[in-house]
């Protein structure tokens, strides 16, 4: 089953365990969840107001790329 999950964070949550610091993925892009692997760097240039979709290889498109709104919908 495929499921879309919304993630807004552009970096990990840092948790201190004893003397060790652990990064926990909050962007949803890490391939080693629940741990951060640095994949959030792909999200740094995302623009507000757009919904981004990443495939398994990290290729990114916007929801508008998949379902463009016809120009006529905004003309009155």
């Amino acid at each position: 089953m495929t499921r879309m999950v919304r993630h807004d964070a552009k970096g990990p949550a840092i948790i201190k365990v004893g003397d060790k610091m652990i990064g926990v993925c909050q962007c949803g892009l890490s391939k080693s969840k629940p741990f951060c692997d640095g994949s959030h760097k792909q999200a740094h240039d995302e623009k507000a107001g757009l919904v981004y979709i990443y495939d398994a290889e990290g290729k990114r498109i916007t929801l508008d790329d998949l379902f463009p709104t016809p120009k006529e919908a905004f003309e009155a």
Side-chain angles (χ1 to χ4, degrees):
M1 171 167 40
T2 301
R3 180 176 296 135
M4 290 186 82
V5 180
R6 178 180 170 172
H7 294 272
D8 292 52
K10 292 186 179 181
I14 305 298
I15 299 172
K16 186 174 181 180
V17 178
D19 293 336
K20 193 174 184 181
M21 303 297 275
I22 298 173
V24 177
C25 177
Q26 291 189 320
C27 72
L29 300 173
S30 177
K31 293 196 178 12
S32 60
K33 288 183 199 98
F35 304 106
C36 176
D37 67 1
S39 294
H40 59 272
K41 294 172 187 162
Q42 298 174 69
H44 283 276
D45 64 344
E46 292 179 349
K47 293 179 176 49
L50 292 176
V51 175
Y52 293 90
I53 301 168
Y54 291 83
D55 67 14
E57 287 80 42
K59 182 180 173 194
R60 173 176 75 185
I61 62 170
T62 67
L63 194 59
D64 290 343
D65 292 335
L66 282 179
F67 303 104
T69 304
K71 181 179 159 187
E72 302 82 39
F74 295 103
E75 296 175 351

